[in-house]
Amino acid sequence: MEGIKFDEANVSTKLAEDYLKKNPIFKSKGFADSDRFTLNDHKNTIYYTNYTRNLGAVVLTKDVSDLPLKLMNLAKKIEENVELFCQLELLLRKIPLEDTERIDLKLMTQNFMYHSSLKSSKEATSTARQITFESATPLVALGFISQVLMAHMPKVVIECTKETAPVTTLFIELCHQVGLEGKVLLAILPEVIEGGSSKVTMDFTKMGEFLNGCVGVVSGKSDIDSAVEYFLDASSRYPWALRKIFVQENAVERFTTTMTWKEEKQMEVTSAGKSKSVTDRELSYFFGEKTFLMKPGRDSTEHDNNVVILEAFRTVKELIGLLANEKPFALSIWCSDISETNELAHNVDASIVWVNDFANFEGPPRSSQAFFSLIDIYFSSQHIEQFPEMAELTKLKESWLELSVEQRRAVVRDALAKIDRNQSKKMLDVLDDMTTEMESFVYLTKNMIATGIELQPQAMMPSAMYDHGLESSIMSYIIKGGAILLHIPPRDLPVKSKDISYMFYDNLRNMAGPVLFLEKEYKIGDVSVIRHPIKRYKVIWTNFGTIFAN
C-alpha cells in the first residue's frame, strides 16, 4: 500500500507561472476597482475594490432549474484544469500537489456533480451570500457555491485577498464560462473583513464544525508500518491536520519503535536531525515540519497544525469515550479486526471515517456530502438555552424511533387526514409517493469500499414554517426520526392555530408524535437545533488491501 508522498522540491510549476505571466493584472469581477493596488511576489498587479458586504434582505431567485446542468459543466471544467489549480496552489500557497488534487478538487467536483443530479432545490437551504477566501482557507471552500445558488440566492460573492486572487480568478473564469456570470462574483480586498463566520457569510476557518480536525486510531490488531507511513505523510493543512493519534497500549511499543526507525532513516538521508536526549526520544519524534509528542494528558485543542499528540488507550469502550471528548469531524482507524472496526466507525460521531486509509475521497458524488453536509448544518443551526422541555422532547423522540418507518408514516398520514383542507388532501397524495427510508449507498473498487449512510436527524425549531405552509421535506424529516420544537408565544396562537402547519403539528402531538410546543421566550445557549430539514451523512472508506495482505 502506497502512502501519500510529499511533493518533490523540483516539481514543475510552469503552467502556473505561464498563467501568472499571461494575467499580469488581477481585478475583481462584478465590482468597480478602487484607486488602491498592490503587487504580489510574482510581480502581478492586484487592484482592490470598494466593496461593502450585503447583510440586508435579498430577493430570492424563483427558478433554479438551469443550475444543475451548469454545475455539471463546471465540474468538467475544473477536471480539465486540475494541473493548473494544483500548480497555482503549490506556487502561491505551498500546498502539496496531491493535497489539492486528492482532497480539495475531488470534493469540489463531487459536490457540483451531486447538486447537478438533485430533483428539487428544496434539498439546499444555505443562507450564505459571501464566501471568505483568505490565505488559510482551503480551496474546497469554493465548492459551496452550489449550495448557495441552489438555495435560490441570486448571487454569491467570493471575498479574497492578494494571496488568493489568482486561484479565485481562475475559478471565477470557469464559472463564467459555464454561464454563471452575474451569479458568482469576486471582490479582491486589502484584508479580510472581520466578524468571523455568520449565517450570511462563510468563513471556513472560523466554523466550529471543523476546528477539532482529524484524529487517528492505531489498534493492537493493525498494520502499524502502514499506519505510521500514512500519518507521517498526512496533510498539515486546516482542516485536515491530525490533532491526535490514539494508540492501543499493546501496540505502543511497536508504534514507537517504528516511529524511531523512521526518524533515524530520515536523519540519515537529510543529515539534519535534531539531537535529542533519551528522555526526549521517549516523548517526541520529528519528521520534516511535524512533531509527534507522546505526552499523556496533553490537550490537543490548542496547538499548531504541525504538532500531533500521541496518547495510549486500553479498550475500545474507553476509546469511544475519549473520542467523544475530542469530537473530530474525521477519523482514521487502523485495525484489521472487522467487528472492532465497525464498533468504532459507527459509534463515534464523526462524519468522515477512513479504515486503514487517510484522506481518500474516492466514491460517488453523494459521498462528498459527508463533508459538505456539515457546512449545511452550520448555516441551518441556531443555539438555544437548555430548558426542562428539552428532556421531554428527547423522550418523545426515543418513543417515536421505537416505531418502524411504516408505523411512523401511518401516524403522519392520520395527522394529515384529520385536517379538512384541500392542501392536506394534496399532501396525502405527496406522502403516498414519498420515499422515507434513510438513504445509503455502497461503492466498491478493487481495494476499497465506501459505505454511506444518512444519520438520524437532530431536533428542529422551524423559523419560518408558517410562511411556507406544510412542506414534504418536513414530513419526510419527521418520518425519518426528526423531532419538532415549535416556539409559539400565547399572543400568536389565535393566528397560528388557523394555519395548516399548526393543525398538523397539533394532531401529531396529540398522537404522541415527536412534537413539543414552547410558549415561553428562550435565550441563546449551547443546545444546537436546526431551522430546516438538513440531511447529515456519514461515509466510511475502507481500504481492505492491507487486511488481506497481512
Side-chain angles (χ1 to χ4, degrees):
M1 185 170 64
E2 186 179 353
I4 305 172
K5 302 299 181 185
F6 292 112
D7 293 284
E8 298 294 334
N10 60 352
V11 167
S12 173
T13 55
K14 186 177 185 305
L15 271 179
E17 292 168 17
D18 290 345
Y19 180 80
L20 296 177
K21 290 177 183 177
K22 186 178 178 181
N23 296 274
I25 298 174
F26 288 98
K27 296 185 176 185
S28 300
K29 306 289 185 181
F31 301 97
D33 298 323
S34 70
D35 56 359
R36 300 177 62 189
F37 65 90
T38 187
L39 297 177
N40 65 11
D41 293 339
H42 298 271
K43 308 304 181 184
N44 297 95
T45 303
I46 298 174
Y47 282 89
Y48 297 127
T49 181
N50 291 321
Y51 165 80
T52 302
R53 183 179 282 173
N54 178 19
L55 302 178
V58 296
V59 178
L60 298 180
T61 303
K62 291 183 178 180
D63 184 14
V64 295
S65 59
D66 63 331
L67 280 177
L69 179 58
K70 292 177 180 179
L71 292 172
M72 178 187 294
N73 291 334
L74 180 57
K76 294 177 180 177
K77 285 286 185 182
I78 290 173
E79 289 173 348
E80 292 170 4
N81 288 273
V82 164
E83 193 171 353
L84 177 54
F85 272 110
C86 291
Q87 288 190 22
L88 279 173
E89 287 288 77
L90 177 61
L91 183 65
L92 300 175
R93 298 204 287 174
K94 311 304 179 188
I95 296 174
L97 297 176
E98 287 200 72
D99 271 20
T100 301
E101 181 174 1
R102 297 178 73 245
I103 300 177
D104 296 89
L105 295 178
K106 171 63 74 174
L107 284 171
M108 189 189 301
T109 54
Q110 285 177 337
N111 189 48
F112 292 150
M113 292 301 293
Y114 170 76
H115 281 88
S116 74
S117 66
L118 291 186
K119 295 180 180 178
S120 170
S121 62
K122 299 289 186 184
E123 297 183 50
T125 57
S126 171
T127 56
R129 305 170 200 170
Q130 294 89 213
I131 296 175
T132 298
F133 198 83
E134 56 176 308
S135 58
T137 306
L139 184 63
V140 68
L142 297 179
F144 197 66
I145 67 160
S146 57
Q147 275 85 342
V148 177
L149 296 177
M150 287 294 285
H152 295 262
M153 286 293 169
K155 60 186 177 183
V156 55
V157 180
I158 298 171
E159 303 172 350
C160 76
T161 57
K162 75 172 186 178
E163 293 84 2
T164 56
V167 73
T168 50
T169 297
L170 172 60
F171 179 76
I172 294 288
E173 289 171 346
L174 299 182
C175 288
H176 292 184
Q177 287 175 24
V178 300
L180 292 175
E181 64 274 12
K183 287 191 170 295
V184 185
L185 311 181
L186 178 65
I188 304 177
L189 308 175
E191 58 188 13
V192 176
I193 297 176
E194 293 299 326
S197 200
S198 69
K199 298 307 179 186
V200 296
T201 302
M202 188 184 91
D203 185 343
F204 196 92
T205 62
K206 304 285 195 309
M207 296 179 68
E209 282 73 7
F210 300 101
L211 292 179
N212 293 331
C214 305
V215 170
V217 171
V218 178
S219 164
K221 305 170 185 175
S222 65
D223 176 3
I224 288 179
D225 284 342
S226 294
V228 169
E229 184 76 19
Y230 269 67
F231 289 149
L232 294 184
D233 289 345
S235 176
S236 295
R237 291 190 303 129
Y238 174 86
W240 309 108
L242 275 170
R243 294 289 186 180
K244 182 175 283 191
I245 301 173
F246 289 100
V247 184
Q248 197 158 19
E249 282 188 347
N250 61 354
V252 168
E253 184 176 351
R254 286 181 291 147
F255 185 86
T256 54
T257 299
T258 304
M259 292 285 282
T260 300
W261 182 80
K262 291 279 188 181
E263 184 182 38
E264 290 174 348
K265 294 296 289 183
Q266 174 195 238
M267 292 168 64
E268 291 176 7
V269 173
T270 63
S271 300
K274 301 179 182 180
S275 59
K276 302 191 301 184
S277 67
V278 174
T279 303
D280 285 336
R281 184 170 295 279
E282 294 172 353
L283 296 176
S284 59
Y285 306 89
F286 301 98
F287 297 89
E289 298 298 320
K290 288 193 185 76
T291 300
F292 294 78
L293 296 177
M294 178 64 90
K295 204 165 186 178
R298 176 168 175 142
D299 185 12
S300 66
T301 58
E302 294 185 8
H303 68 279
D304 66 55
N305 290 337
N306 288 314
V307 177
V308 183
I309 307 302
L310 307 176
E311 185 173 327
F313 72 94
R314 292 183 180 179
T315 65
V316 172
K317 182 178 180 180
E318 177 195 9
L319 177 60
I320 291 174
L322 292 170
L323 290 170
N325 292 330
E326 291 292 325
K327 296 182 175 62
F329 81 91
L331 181 67
S332 177
I333 303 170
W334 290 81
C335 181
S336 57
D337 185 284
I338 301 297
S339 60
E340 188 175 307
T341 298
N342 285 335
E343 184 178 0
L344 272 175
H346 292 282
N347 284 286
V348 175
D349 188 24
S351 295
I352 295 171
V353 179
W354 297 290
V355 178
N356 300 321
D357 212 336
F358 187 82
N360 182 359
F361 289 103
E362 288 296 327
R366 199 187 321 177
S367 62
S368 63
Q369 299 313 293
F371 176 79
F372 281 98
S373 66
L374 293 175
I375 308 178
D376 288 330
I377 288 172
Y378 169 82
F379 281 106
S380 177
S381 65
Q382 59 182 326
H383 291 80
I384 61 176
E385 64 180 326
Q386 178 73 46
F387 42 80
E389 289 85 351
M390 293 296 289
E392 181 183 349
L393 185 63
T394 300
K395 290 181 181 178
L396 286 171
K397 181 176 180 180
E398 290 173 351
S399 299
W400 184 244
L401 288 172
E402 290 177 359
L403 303 178
S404 67
V405 171
E406 288 308 315
Q407 287 174 321
R408 286 179 237 149
R409 181 195 285 265
V411 174
V412 169
R413 199 178 203 291
D414 289 344
L416 273 175
K418 290 179 182 291
I419 304 172
D420 187 19
R421 292 274 190 91
N422 289 332
Q423 186 184 354
S424 65
K425 294 174 182 178
K426 293 179 182 178
M427 294 307 295
L428 284 170
D429 294 335
V430 172
L431 179 61
D432 291 338
D433 295 332
M434 187 184 299
T435 300
T436 52
E437 297 291 339
M438 300 294 277
E439 294 181 20
S440 64
F441 69 84
V442 175
Y443 176 86
L444 182 66
T445 67
K446 183 178 179 181
N447 293 313
M448 182 273 293
I449 182 170
T451 306
I453 55 174
E454 183 183 349
L455 299 177
Q456 285 290 343
Q458 65 189 92
M460 180 170 69
M461 178 183 279
S463 57
M465 192 58 56
Y466 302 105
D467 297 332
H468 302 288
L470 183 60
E471 297 180 349
S472 59
S473 58
I474 299 293
M475 294 192 297
S476 175
Y477 164 84
I478 294 172
I479 294 171
K480 289 182 177 183
I484 301 287
L485 179 64
L486 286 171
H487 178 234
I488 307 180
R491 65 179 182 275
D492 295 340
L493 190 56
V495 175
K496 300 296 187 185
S497 61
K498 298 176 183 179
D499 189 280
I500 185 175
S501 300
Y502 178 89
M503 296 178 187
F504 169 72
Y505 293 130
D506 193 40
N507 290 341
L508 198 58
R509 177 183 60 168
N510 293 331
M511 301 166 73
V515 177
L516 188 68
F517 287 79
L518 180 66
E519 295 183 353
K520 64 182 181 181
E521 296 297 327
Y522 62 89
K523 300 177 181 178
I524 296 174
D526 297 326
V527 179
S528 177
V529 293
I530 56 176
R531 296 175 294 175
H532 312 283
I534 293 292
K535 295 178 182 178
R536 182 186 169 196
Y537 296 91
K538 168 178 280 198
V539 179
I540 302 170
W541 287 266
T542 301
N543 185 330
F544 46 76
T546 303
I547 298 175
F548 295 114
N550 292 284

